[in-house]
Amino acid sequence: GQENGSLGIALVGLGSYSTYQLAPALQETRHCHLAGIVTGTPSKASRWMSQYGIPGEHVYNYENFDSIAGDDAIDAVYVVLPNSMHAEYAIRAAQAGKHVICEKPMGISVAECDAIIKACEVAGVKLGMGYRLHSEPYTQEVKRLVREKTFGEVRYVMGEAAYISRGNPDQWRLDKALSGGGALMNMGVYAIQSCIYGCGRNPVAVSAQEFSTRPEYFKDTDETILAQLTFPGGVVGSVMTSHNANANRMYASCDSGWFELQPANNYGPLSGRTSDGPIQFPHESQQKLQMDDFARHVLEGAPNLAPGEMGRRDMIIVEAIYRSIREGGRTIPL
Ligand code: NDP
């Protein structure tokens, strides 16, 4: 655990993201390691125990999860469950005295985000979001260009985050009770974030429209959403998110130039350009960088690059976008 200078992390929910991204990244991290697992699927438990050498005493299911409180090898719990389960397990983890990393979207409502933040405050544990891009050099370069006004004032920002979904109609992402919504909940947060770090401020108003072409597949979740954001200082922004098109891009237009990332939000390597030329960094696992940054936050007091308040802010914007759509595209002040 923490005494060895490495944070022990337990992954909750051994689905695609845990299996193919987080667990492999935890074999490369320097400040944290895979110390335990929480799964409802016994066959996964035995496979992970042998693959990663996890002793049975650090393996939990959803029923006995709270007994993780007595497990000193586990310092932090990483919630990688369907969206509507994030709040319950983040809160139970905090109540067990564990630091919390919560996948995006933070929950399915602002009220859930509030409850997670409160539980972590009361328990005195740290809370970080699984917003891997904040630990990633292309995104950090965009933030630097904005902060240093390399191309002058930003006037317009654009974020697109979308992929075509045609898979299993029974997947949880198409079930509103588990996902909380469709493209906006799943990918929209990336497009919103691109606009926010693309201009370095939070929006003050939003209007939005929803488009549907395959209602038989997207029964109760959104397929495509366009949203318009306004920011302090007259910056305007455009958000596109969809599960009926592919898009992966951010762009900012400034007084004396521009910058863009495309791709902007996948696992990388990302690619970027400015009006002066290419942006180039060596590729490293984003998940490795993200979890090491969180571990250094807990262990050394390094900055929390993606705090709970950021997840909550994005959920406020998501709720306002859904509200604007319900109210015919009306502009909603934030
Ligand atoms: P998966 O469907 O692949 O995995 C979810 C896992 O949650 C399941 O395998 C299962 O694990 C567990 N689970 C518990 N209850 C349920 C239930 N009722 N229905 C379905 N699964 C259940 O999802 P992902 O791994 O793709 O996504 C998980 C979370 O991670 C989501 O919130 C998603 O937004 C986020 N994510 C973030 C990414 C990023 O880049 N930051 C990328 C991908 C996902 P078990 O069998 O072990 O109990």
Side-chain angles (χ1 to χ4, degrees):
Q2 201 163 324
E3 316 79 60
N4 316 323
S6 172
L7 203 69
I9 294 187
L11 297 176
V12 186
L14 308 182
S16 322
Y17 195 53
S18 288
T19 303
Y20 300 111
Q21 303 299 327
L22 297 177
L26 281 165
Q27 309 311 304
E28 291 180 47
T29 43
R30 290 178 47 206
H31 305 282
C32 54
H33 61 277
L34 180 61
I37 48 175
V38 184
T39 178
T41 310
S43 59
K44 291 183 189 172
S46 43
R47 198 169 71 241
W48 281 62
M49 283 166 68
S50 60
Q51 182 170 355
Y52 293 113
I54 304 169
E57 60 189 294
H58 307 307
V59 177
Y60 299 86
N61 57 43
Y62 302 116
E63 286 69 45
N64 67 18
F65 171 72
D66 305 285
S67 63
I68 208 167
D71 190 335
D72 291 337
I74 295 169
D75 306 301
V77 163
Y78 194 154
V79 180
V80 203
L81 292 162
N83 305 340
S84 71
M85 298 173 74
H86 291 182
E88 178 186 345
Y89 283 87
I91 291 167
R92 284 168 70 178
Q95 288 171 348
K98 306 301 179 186
H99 304 293
V100 179
I101 311 177
C102 182
E103 256 316 319
K104 45 64 49 178
M106 189 172 184
I108 60 169
S109 67
V110 177
E112 286 192 349
C113 300
D114 288 336
I116 296 171
I117 290 170
K118 183 78 190 292
C120 290
E121 276 171 9
V122 168
V125 297
K126 307 285 192 189
L127 170 61
M129 291 294 302
Y131 284 147
R132 53 189 161 72
L133 294 171
H134 290 270
S135 295
E136 184 285 322
Y138 287 81
T139 306
Q140 291 178 341
E141 176 67 358
V142 161
K143 290 188 194 175
R144 187 188 69 83
L145 296 172
V146 171
R147 194 170 60 241
E148 297 181 1
K149 299 193 199 300
T150 310
F151 299 101
E153 295 292 337
V154 179
R155 301 293 174 188
Y156 170 69
V157 283
M158 181 271 282
E160 298 175 343
Y163 66 87
I164 298 177
S165 174
R166 292 193 195 286
N168 171 13
D170 296 325
Q171 62 183 292
W172 66 261
R173 283 189 171 83
L174 295 168
D175 177 354
K176 194 174 180 187
L178 284 166
S179 62
L184 184 62
M185 280 283 178
N186 188 25
M187 297 302 288
V189 288
Y190 291 111
I192 290 167
Q193 286 232 343
S194 283
C195 287
I196 291 173
Y197 51 69
C199 72
R201 48 201 102 175
N202 291 331
V204 291
V206 59
S207 55
Q209 306 81 38
E210 179 177 357
F211 303 85
S212 168
T213 65
R214 289 189 281 143
E216 68 288 353
Y217 181 74
F218 299 103
K219 287 193 181 65
D220 63 356
T221 60
D222 41 288
E223 178 182 322
T224 297
I225 286 177
L226 302 183
Q228 303 76 43
L229 309 181
T230 53
F231 296 88
V235 181
V236 294
S238 172
V239 161
M240 177 274 193
T241 188
S242 177
H243 277 326
N244 197 45
N246 297 315
N248 187 340
R249 190 156 66 124
M250 73 84 51
Y251 170 78
S253 165
C254 313
D255 279 346
S256 53
W258 52 266
F259 48 88
E260 67 180 2
L261 301 181
Q262 182 176 208
N265 55 50
N266 59 359
Y267 304 149
L270 302 187
S271 176
R273 293 147 294 279
T274 77
S275 43
D276 277 354
I279 304 174
Q280 270 171 323
F281 293 98
H283 179 62
E284 280 188 272
S285 157
Q286 296 173 1
Q287 290 80 9
K288 176 193 115 175
L289 296 170
Q290 168 214 326
M291 290 187 283
D292 267 342
D293 278 340
F294 181 75
R296 289 184 54 249
H297 170 60
V298 173
L299 297 169
E300 303 166 11
N304 187 349
L305 298 185
E309 288 70 23
M310 185 185 275
R312 178 181 184 274
R313 172 201 68 192
D314 295 344
M315 193 57 53
I316 290 172
I317 298 164
V318 163
E319 278 193 353
I321 287 173
Y322 283 133
R323 181 168 167 207
S324 173
I325 290 165
R326 280 197 311 274
E327 298 181 9
R330 185 170 80 80
T331 299
I332 309 294
L334 293 164

